[in-house]
């Protein structure tokens, strides 16, 4: 896979939902880059951990995006939603039929853009009303249409393995999950 997975960092992102996904993607050999939507490569998480992103938002190539991944956390998800450039990129990616992923509070970004209409979805409890037109299931991981969604921090590994299975096959995802001592996936 030559295209990249872009993982977007906004102030207040949930640490494990970003780092866990990036870890699994890199174990799978997927080209993943973390992207700051701030004016600095350094972004502070919801638990006050400063992480240096790989690149700035303005330096990404939208045509190289295989998947856009939004970690949750508050106010991280709200900060992602407020970024106009990211909203435009999401819309472009959606219209091209490419996959989109989000976890915890971040599915609200897609929901409030109206992209989840008529689809099964999941999010952190209490954010269901922000999934406009979606059918919230409460499941840990939900895949419908071009969306990969996770309920919250406990969903980060199953969600990441599901994304790896999409790009690399179930056998590769299973091998990584077993090496990480995760229970049976499929």
């Amino acid at each position: 896979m030559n295209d990249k997975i872009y993982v977007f960092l906004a102030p207040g992102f949930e640490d494990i939902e970003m780092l866990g996904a990036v870890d699994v993607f890199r174990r799978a050999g997927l080209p993943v880059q973390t992207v700051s939507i701030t004016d600095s490569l350094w972004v502070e998480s919801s638990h006050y951990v400063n992480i240096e992103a790989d690149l700035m938002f303005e330096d990404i190539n939208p045509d190289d995006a295989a998947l856009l991944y939004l970690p949750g956390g508050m106010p991280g998800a709200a900060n992602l939603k407020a970024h106009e450039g990211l909203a435009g990129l999401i819309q472009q990616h959606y219209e091209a039929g490419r996959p989109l992923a989000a976890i915890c509070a971040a599915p609200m970004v897609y929901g409030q853009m109206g992209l989840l209409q008529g689809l099964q979805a999941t999010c952190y409890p209490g954010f269901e009303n922000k999934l406009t037109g979606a059918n919230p299931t409460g499941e840990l991981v939900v895949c419908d249409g071009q969306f990969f969604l996770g309920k919250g921090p406990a969903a980060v590994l199953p969600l990441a393995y599901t994304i790896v299975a999409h790009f690399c096959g179930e056998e590769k995802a299973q091998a990584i999950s077993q090496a990480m001592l995760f229970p049976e996936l499929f």
Side-chain angles (χ1 to χ4, degrees):
M1 178 174 126
N2 292 328
D3 290 341
K4 294 175 178 60
I5 294 175
Y6 289 125
V7 177
F8 294 92
L9 306 184
F13 69 89
E14 176 61 44
D15 311 53
I16 194 170
E17 294 168 358
M18 184 282 284
L19 290 169
V22 169
D23 178 284
V24 171
F25 299 154
R26 289 194 174 155
R27 286 174 192 255
L30 293 171
V32 59
Q33 289 190 300
T34 56
V35 181
S36 171
I37 66 162
T38 72
D39 59 359
S40 169
L41 284 175
W42 289 94
V43 185
E44 187 174 77
S45 75
S46 60
H47 299 285
Y48 312 107
V49 177
N50 286 295
I51 300 290
E52 184 178 16
D54 295 317
L55 66 159
M56 301 293 292
F57 180 82
E58 54 272 9
D59 295 329
I60 66 171
N61 180 350
D63 296 329
D64 286 347
L67 174 80
L68 307 181
Y69 178 95
L70 307 180
M74 288 301 279
N79 289 329
L80 289 171
K81 183 185 172 304
H83 192 274
E84 290 180 21
L86 181 58
L89 177 63
I90 290 168
Q91 188 67 43
Q92 176 185 349
H93 203 76
Y94 173 77
E95 290 172 4
R98 292 182 161 194
L100 296 151
I103 188 168
C104 195
M108 76 173 185
V109 175
Y110 303 142
Q112 291 185 323
M113 291 178 70
L115 305 181
L116 299 176
Q117 293 283 335
L119 299 177
Q120 302 293 310
T122 195
C123 63
Y124 195 81
F127 286 85
E128 296 86 356
N129 64 336
K130 298 184 185 310
L131 304 180
T132 307
N135 302 310
T137 67
E139 293 177 33
L140 198 59
V141 174
V142 172
C143 301
D144 196 358
Q146 66 201 78
F147 293 93
F148 295 86
L149 305 174
K151 186 174 184 176
V156 69
L157 292 178
L159 178 62
Y161 298 142
T162 301
I163 292 168
V164 168
H166 173 78
F167 287 109
C168 304
E170 287 184 12
E171 187 175 314
K172 177 91 167 200
Q174 189 68 45
I176 293 168
S177 72
Q178 287 175 349
M180 294 178 74
L181 307 179
F182 195 83
E184 192 73 22
L185 281 179
F186 307 106

